[in-house]
Amino acid sequence: PRTGNSFLRRVIELITGVYTGSDMNINLTLHVVWGNLAGEETVSQENLSWVTKTHWPMESPMGVEKFATQKCIAIARNPIDVLPSMSLLMNTGSHSLTSATPINELDPVWWNKFVTTITPFVEEGVKIMREQLVPSVPTYWVRYEDLVLNPQPVLMELFSFMLDVTSIEGTVLEKRIIDYSAKGHSAAASYKLK
């Protein structure tokens, strides 16, 4: 969570015109539906979505829809940005609210406990992905920072991976990626990522 996966979903939707799905329980994510991502709780095995977002191996206590996959797009973001964003989500219940004073300055004791509690879960999730998912499912890794700062080459490679082709040069898809990239990353915001 907080790595930019909803942002990447929105980018894919803007470029292709096709809704993406999510395995998340819609009771937890209805606000995301209102923010332009209509495919919540819609997963790929129902043939209702081409791309399905998941937080696997983490699962919600309210449950997730199980599904099989043929490929994986894994998005990573600098932990220096993920942890404050995650703490704000947990403390505000909002994807977009921020605080005037950074939480690590506001309550250093809470912040240190949060970081030391969350970090092992994040590390375990990455370990599971590397040991279980990557060996069994073709995986394309995207850095959130690259997607924001220089999206065109990332998206060209990503869609080549998704379509199982060596290049998408000269296609309508390439044109749509160029058009999206010219608009800047704010065009894809479904909410302001902290």
Side-chain angles (χ1 to χ4, degrees):
R2 313 311 301 156
T3 59
N5 49 38
S6 294
F7 174 75
L8 180 56
R9 281 180 65 195
R10 187 68 182 137
V11 170
I12 291 169
E13 289 182 359
L14 287 171
I15 291 170
T16 64
V18 177
Y19 281 126
T20 60
S22 170
D23 67 348
M24 295 291 290
N25 184 303
I26 199 163
N27 295 314
L28 294 174
T29 59
L30 196 52
H31 64 283
V32 177
V33 174
W34 295 331
N36 299 327
L37 292 170
E40 293 303 287
E41 212 174 59
T42 303
V43 295
S44 56
Q45 87 260 19
E46 299 166 349
N47 291 323
L48 297 174
S49 68
W50 178 39
V51 174
T52 302
K53 170 192 140 180
T54 182
H55 286 130
W56 185 90
M58 183 187 88
E59 291 189 9
S60 161
M62 295 183 75
V64 295
E65 291 288 321
K66 302 287 186 192
F67 67 99
T69 187
Q70 296 175 8
K71 291 186 178 185
C72 174
I73 304 165
I75 187 163
R77 183 179 180 203
N78 189 328
I80 298 291
D81 297 319
V82 169
L83 292 172
S85 181
M86 192 181 293
S87 74
L88 281 166
L89 175 63
M90 292 171 70
N91 284 294
T92 66
S94 166
H95 284 277
S96 302
L97 291 177
T98 60
S99 64
T101 306
I103 192 78
N104 62 314
E105 294 174 19
L106 193 62
D107 189 344
V109 173
W110 182 90
W111 174 253
N112 286 334
K113 190 171 190 166
F114 170 77
V115 170
T116 56
T117 301
I118 293 295
T119 300
F121 291 105
V122 173
E123 289 172 340
E124 182 64 17
V126 170
K127 180 181 176 200
I128 290 170
M129 285 185 69
R130 286 190 175 138
E131 292 176 0
Q132 294 178 25
L133 179 71
V134 172
S136 60
V137 177
T139 303
Y140 182 85
W141 288 88
V142 177
R143 279 181 3 118
Y144 171 78
E145 294 79 4
D146 294 337
L147 191 60
V148 170
L149 297 174
N150 191 13
Q152 189 171 329
V154 175
L155 293 169
M156 296 286 284
E157 280 187 12
L158 172 62
F159 278 99
S160 293
F161 167 78
M162 290 170 67
L163 296 169
D164 214 8
V165 297
T166 55
S167 172
I168 58 168
E169 271 186 60
T171 66
V172 172
L173 189 54
E174 178 191 33
K175 169 79 169 94
R176 294 188 63 113
I177 289 170
I178 291 168
D179 291 347
Y180 164 78
S181 298
K183 292 177 188 173
H185 69 275
S186 61
S190 49
Y191 53 80
K192 187 175 187 226
L193 189 59
K194 300 172 276 207

